Each structure stands twice: as C-alpha cells, then as structure tokens.
Amino acid sequence: MSKKISSTEVAHIAQLTKLNLSENEYEKLSQMLSETLEYVAVLDELDTTSVNETFQVTGLKNVYREPNFPVKGLTQEEALQNAPITKDSKIGTKAVFGRE
Amino acid sequence: MNLNELTVTEALEGLIEGKFSSEEITKACLERISQKDPEIKAFITVIEEAALEEARKADEKISKLGKKAFVDSPLLGIPYACKDNFCTKGVKTTAGSKVLENFISPYESTVTALLKDAGAILLGKTNMDAFAHGSSTEESDFFVTKNPWDVSRVPGGSSGGSAAAVIADMCLFAIGSETGGSIRGPASWCGVTGLKPSYGRVSRYGLIAMASSTDSPGPITKTAQDSALILEVLAGKDPYDATTSPFPTEKYSLELQSDIQRIKIGRPKQYFELDLQPDVLKATEDFLEFLRENGATIVDIDLMDPKYSIAVYTVLQRAEVSSNLGRLDGIRYGNDRTSFGFEAKKRIMLGAYTLSAGYYEAYYSKAQKVRTLIIEDFNRAFSQVDVIVGPTMPCVALGIGESFSNPMFGEMIDVLSEPSTIAGLCGITIPVGVSSSLPVGAQIIGDRFKESQILRIANFYQQKTRFHLERPKK
C-alpha cells in the first residue's frame, strides 16, 4: 500500500504530535514521509495472512518483581530538580482550564 | 606505551601488579581528551574532577586489599566513556538533543550503576545522533564527531562518540547502545570491537528509550576479550527492566579460550550480493577464509532479502519513537517540543501516522507480522549453522555531509545489522581489513544468548591477527 502524505496531512499529524513546523518543513516532510511509505510498501510482497505479529522477542509474560522489592524512588527535590517551573514544591504548567 | 592506550585486560593486570595506579591511567585518558578531543569532538561532557576522585578511591582500595579488591570490583580503576543516552545521576544527560540540553539525571541507569559497582570510572558522556536517530553523529543537535582515521569523515552512529573515543585512546572502553546498527556501525567505521548483546541480555533501565523492543546496550572496546569482561558485568536480569531475560548468564571471559574447530558458519548469500564496496567484500571473504583454514566449516545459507528488514525496522522504529518521545513535554524536565530537531520530528510524525486508525493494519501490524517471518527465517538458519558471518557495513566511513540527501540514510546504511536486531539476536563486529587507510569491519551474528560463541570466534581471530591493533596517526 503506497500512499502520498499531503501537506494538509502533515499539518494534521504535527498537531496530533504537538510539533511546530517551519514553513518549508511542510512540503519537505510531505515529500520525505511519502518516499518512506513508498519504500515500506515492499512489505506487501510478502503474504502474512496466517502469520501472527511479534510485538516483542523475549517471549516473557507476566513479569513481576519479588514481593517487598525495595523500589528506588526520587526524593521530592530530585523529582523537581529539572522542572522549568516549580511552585510550593509542585511542578508548574500552563493553565488547562479556561483556555480558548 | 601511554597508559590510555592500554586495553582493559592489560590495565587490570598492571593495576593488580602495582605497575601503575588508576589515577595515572585516568590522568592519561583525560590528557588525551584535552589534547585530541577539540579536533575529534567525541565528548559532550567530561567530568574530570569526579573521575580523578574516583580513581584515587580505587587506588586506596587497591593498596588496602591488593588483588582481593578486584574480586567484587572486576573493573576497579578502569576509566570509560558512556554514550550520552544513559542516565547518570548528577551528570548532564542529553541524548545528543537540545530538548535535554540541560537535563541532569536524578537517577542512575542500571548499566552505569553496574559499572560503578564494578569499580569502573566514568570519564564523560559521548556524542550521538539526537535520541540515537541516525548513523553518523551528524544528527547530533550539538556537533558532528569526526572519524579519528580521517577527520573529513563521520565515525558512524548513533554511538559515534563512543567508537571515536575508543579508537583515539581517550578511554579504555566505552558504552554504546544499538537499536539497528548503532553499536556495530560506528565500531566498524572506527576500527574497534563492538558487541550488540541479545535483546534482553542487558538492562535498558535508565537508557533514554528509542525503540523499546530492540534497544540493546553494549560495550565498544579495543578487543573481544575486553568485550567479554564488560558483558560479564552488564549481563543479567534486572528487576527494573521487565524485558531482561532470566536466561542464565555466563563467565564470558572464561569461555574464550578454545579453538574454532567444528564451528559451522553460515555465509548468507543475500548479504554478499548487496552493493558492497569491493574492499569490504574482499576483507569479509578473507575473514571467512581465515576461519575455514582454522577448522571452521563455511556453509552458504539463504536469508530473507534484507530489504524487508529495512522496511520492518523503519515502521517499528518510527512507531516506537513516536510513542517514547511523546513524554517529552518540557513540563517535568527538558525543553519543550519546539526544541526537537528535524530528524526527530520526521520520525515522530511517521510513527504517529503508521499507528493511527486506518493505517495501523497496513503498516504497523503488517511490519510486526513480517518480523515474525524474519525470526522464523533466522531460526531456520540457526538449525543449520552455529553463527552467521557477513560484512558489518556496505562501505567504509563516509564523508561528512554525504548522508543528507537520503531520508532513509540510516536504515539503508545499517542494512546488514537490522535483520538481526529485529530478531533480538546478538552480533559482534571486529576490524578485519583496511581500505584506503580506513578500517573495514566484519560481523559475527549469533543466536539469542549465544554471546560466548561469537566472542570466542572474535577473540580467536584477534589472537592471530593484528587488525584490531591498528591505530590512526596520533
């Protein structure tokens, strides 16, 4: 399945992934992403109708820690040390409510 | 010989015999860094004072306990460099990206914690393509690392800073990580030994995630023997990474000493039929001939065309990237998403696209099914042979700027590593030749958790040849 990604679609995906693009990046990405999709269409040559997916190669299932395993945590200071905005030992964000 | 030029094995012997101190080795590395790194640019961060302090502590321990000091600390006093995508507590950890340019990790990755416990001394953090997206270090948001063999060329990537630091003798060994060629590629282009362990053999805890289903930390070293020593420290189940395997580890360094009689080696026709540089092809064939002369059996085998692996890798890697980099919101740490470079944006967006409703089946699910076929293909191969040998890279190190025209440059140049990484196999690259004064690497690919087998073959070769001893002009 080969498909072109238009500049409009690029803008939509950029919005979904919260990425800012510069003017010339729309066209460039439209072309580059389309080229990449064109390449990966090679997979359609292979019949996979009765093949299962492999999401991970370890074969491990339901991995649990030992009970009472001493989990390392961060101190409040450590958890906050990289936050750009902090106030009263909390992380600051832009307001979510009351936005247009 | 300067102390920074030693292998890990040689340095340990000298430290045990009291021939020199850890402080002397560490100083020699730091001097080499300050002399050479302004030109090579392998390091993003160097922690000189902390390294010297750790070295002095190691020396104290050695003078107090003697040889016994090394029982619990098998790498005591050995200075190393670490790729900048491993979290190191209190030390800047950028992943080569502007997004994390000021990120000081509040916790330690399992890999660096194990090395610390083993007594190894962190010298600094090495340059890489931002978030490991690339195969040249040209995608680093900070600067390009130069190949010490020819500074007009790239070292390969994404672990390019680590590979360059090792061949330029700025450290005794380095740590890299591979998702699809990121250890083997740069190790090959810099003429050093690079081991990509099986997926799940070494913990990913604290490794800034690229593609979680293939990321594998591993050592970049001067010899296969050193690789074995480092793997011994790193391998094993980690309660902080549920994907690490409970499969028993080995004393890899003790498994090295045997010949290669009766070993059956697969020569995948499809890998040799690619568009390889003639010197790369010749050096790999010479390597196979060496193995044959020393008792191994070489068998031609068929593997799936690697073009399918490139496609599977591209889809899965982009999908996992889009999900893993979603957490970077600039609220809890790091800069906001306007700091992403073009390469990261491109990968995040393709990943988001292939995971979105309507395209999931066609791309993501399809790629995961083909991954199953690739694994089955390798299983068939390993029912006939013990290991697989092929070239590591299709060509020697490229010039700076040669990669920019191709939107899938990384995938194309890593074509020989991607199939094995998708299947979670282990692989080691070692230098096996020279082409116009540049190193050529060949790789030995082993079945999952058969690290001791590939290390043994690599070590056998290095015992009898000299390519791993070649160094660029000082």
Side-chain angles (χ1 to χ4, degrees), chain A residues 73-87:
Chain A
L74 299 180
T75 63
Q76 191 173 53
E77 200 177 292
E78 286 168 340
L80 293 170
Q81 76 182 38
N82 284 290
I85 311 167
T86 59
K87 197 186 169 194

Side-chain angles (χ1 to χ4, degrees), chain A residues 1 3 10 17 20 25 35 39 43 45-46 48 52-54 57 65 70 72 78 81-84, chain B residues 89 104 239-240 307-308 330-333 337-338 345 349 353 359 362-363 365-366 368 371-372 407 448:
Chain A
M1 149 167 196
K3 196 181 169 304
V10 168
T17 51
N20 285 351
E25 285 177 339
E35 272 177 41
Y39 181 86
L43 295 177
E45 294 171 12
L46 301 169
T48 52
N52 289 324
E53 294 146 322
T54 299
V57 298
R65 284 183 186 137
K72 296 180 255 184
E78 286 168 340
Q81 76 182 38
N82 284 290
Chain B
K89 189 172 181 174
I104 310 280
Y240 291 101
K307 72 181 180 184
Y308 300 114
I331 294 173
R332 294 154 301 154
Y333 52 86
R337 293 174 79 78
T338 57
K345 289 195 229 181
M349 290 179 64
Y353 180 82
Y359 301 114
Y363 296 111
S365 173
K366 178 79 188 182
Q368 297 286 31
R371 181 188 216 172
T372 306
R448 291 191 70 218

Side-chain angles (χ1 to χ4, degrees), chain B residues 131-192:
Chain B
F131 295 113
H133 300 168
S135 303
S136 67
T137 72
E138 288 165 298
E139 300 294 347
S140 164
D141 286 349
F142 304 119
F143 43 77
V144 180
T145 299
K146 313 291 192 320
N147 191 316
W149 291 93
D150 174 353
V151 292
S152 73
R153 290 172 191 269
V154 297
S158 61
S159 313
S162 287
V166 172
I167 195 63
D169 287 315
M170 294 192 254
C171 54
L172 269 51
F173 75 96
I175 293 296
S177 65
E178 173 159 333
T179 305
S182 277
I183 287 176
R184 283 174 280 179
S188 160
W189 279 4
C190 288
V192 290

